[in-house]
Amino acid sequence: MIRSYIEFWTKAFVFTGKATRLQYFIPWIINTGIFETYCFVTHQWRSGLLLQPLKCHLGIIPDSIWHSILLLLFFTFIVFVGIADFTLRARRFHDVGISNWLVLVSLIPILGPIIVLLVTVALSRADLRWPINQSEM
């Protein structure tokens, strides 16, 4: 489990290779846990549960230097997680035998995430274009 998360960060800018379902979903679960913990600590969990936009009084506007630092670190983390997740999704698509350009389908509202979910839970296929797993790189 830890190895998958370490590979998530060390291969953050690698589009080649492929990633298994476990290598894809373990970092996703850990990053979701980190995000939910941040939302709980800053009292933004109420907006997430009610599917409402974040409100200023729930902690989005910093009221102290520590809150400003936490907010800056969190948004930096979100940017890096977004980049690493995008490349991991591309490697997962390679493992299924699909071009990584199909990752762009995730930008389509509602339908895109459903298609991405279906592709990421699909079984692995042998493909000569991407024979190497990310662990072997």
Side-chain angles (χ1 to χ4, degrees), residues 2 16 37 44 80 89 103:
I2 301 292
T16 59
T37 301
Q44 295 178 18
F80 283 115
R89 191 174 300 140
V103 171

mmCIF file of all heavy atoms in Angstrom, residues 2 16 37 44 80 89 103:
data_model
loop_
_atom_site.group_PDB
_atom_site.id
_atom_site.type_symbol
_atom_site.label_atom_id
_atom_site.label_comp_id
_atom_site.label_asym_id
_atom_site.label_seq_id
_atom_site.Cartn_x
_atom_site.Cartn_y
_atom_site.Cartn_z
ATOM 1 N N ILE A 2 1.834 1.301 0.884
ATOM 2 C CA ILE A 2 2.731 2.454 0.950
ATOM 3 C C ILE A 2 3.523 2.566 -0.354
ATOM 4 O O ILE A 2 3.754 3.670 -0.845
ATOM 5 C CB ILE A 2 3.688 2.318 2.162
ATOM 6 C CG1 ILE A 2 2.903 2.226 3.464
ATOM 7 C CG2 ILE A 2 4.683 3.445 2.206
ATOM 8 C CD1 ILE A 2 2.184 3.481 3.859
ATOM 9 N N THR A 16 4.419 7.431 -19.568
ATOM 10 C CA THR A 16 4.645 6.122 -20.169
ATOM 11 C C THR A 16 4.473 5.032 -19.126
ATOM 12 O O THR A 16 4.467 5.296 -17.932
ATOM 13 C CB THR A 16 6.054 6.034 -20.773
ATOM 14 O OG1 THR A 16 7.000 6.271 -19.740
ATOM 15 C CG2 THR A 16 6.234 7.046 -21.884
ATOM 16 N N THR A 37 -10.034 15.073 5.418
ATOM 17 C CA THR A 37 -9.516 15.501 6.717
ATOM 18 C C THR A 37 -9.342 17.010 6.748
ATOM 19 O O THR A 37 -9.715 17.667 7.723
ATOM 20 C CB THR A 37 -8.168 14.804 7.012
ATOM 21 O OG1 THR A 37 -8.369 13.392 6.992
ATOM 22 C CG2 THR A 37 -7.606 15.236 8.350
ATOM 23 N N GLN A 44 -15.276 22.702 6.571
ATOM 24 C CA GLN A 44 -15.899 22.810 5.264
ATOM 25 C C GLN A 44 -16.683 21.549 4.919
ATOM 26 O O GLN A 44 -17.256 21.451 3.860
ATOM 27 C CB GLN A 44 -14.837 23.079 4.198
ATOM 28 C CG GLN A 44 -14.165 24.407 4.387
ATOM 29 C CD GLN A 44 -13.092 24.647 3.368
ATOM 30 O OE1 GLN A 44 -13.059 23.986 2.341
ATOM 31 N NE2 GLN A 44 -12.209 25.582 3.630
ATOM 32 N N PHE A 80 -0.399 19.660 -7.119
ATOM 33 C CA PHE A 80 0.486 18.529 -7.382
ATOM 34 C C PHE A 80 -0.275 17.210 -7.460
ATOM 35 O O PHE A 80 0.041 16.353 -8.285
ATOM 36 C CB PHE A 80 1.605 18.450 -6.337
ATOM 37 C CG PHE A 80 2.691 19.455 -6.574
ATOM 38 C CD1 PHE A 80 2.917 20.467 -5.671
ATOM 39 C CD2 PHE A 80 3.478 19.391 -7.708
ATOM 40 C CE1 PHE A 80 3.912 21.407 -5.893
ATOM 41 C CE2 PHE A 80 4.483 20.324 -7.943
ATOM 42 C CZ PHE A 80 4.697 21.329 -7.027
ATOM 43 N N ARG A 89 -3.700 8.359 -14.110
ATOM 44 C CA ARG A 89 -4.869 7.941 -14.898
ATOM 45 C C ARG A 89 -4.450 7.559 -16.315
ATOM 46 O O ARG A 89 -4.955 6.588 -16.877
ATOM 47 C CB ARG A 89 -5.898 9.071 -14.928
ATOM 48 C CG ARG A 89 -7.229 8.635 -15.491
ATOM 49 C CD ARG A 89 -8.279 9.715 -15.372
ATOM 50 N NE ARG A 89 -8.487 10.057 -13.970
ATOM 51 C CZ ARG A 89 -8.665 11.298 -13.542
ATOM 52 N NH1 ARG A 89 -8.637 12.301 -14.390
ATOM 53 N NH2 ARG A 89 -8.863 11.531 -12.277
ATOM 54 N N VAL A 103 -7.969 10.307 -21.590
ATOM 55 C CA VAL A 103 -8.069 10.933 -20.274
ATOM 56 C C VAL A 103 -8.827 12.253 -20.387
ATOM 57 O O VAL A 103 -9.525 12.663 -19.458
ATOM 58 C CB VAL A 103 -6.659 11.154 -19.674
ATOM 59 C CG1 VAL A 103 -6.719 11.986 -18.430
ATOM 60 C CG2 VAL A 103 -6.003 9.834 -19.383
#
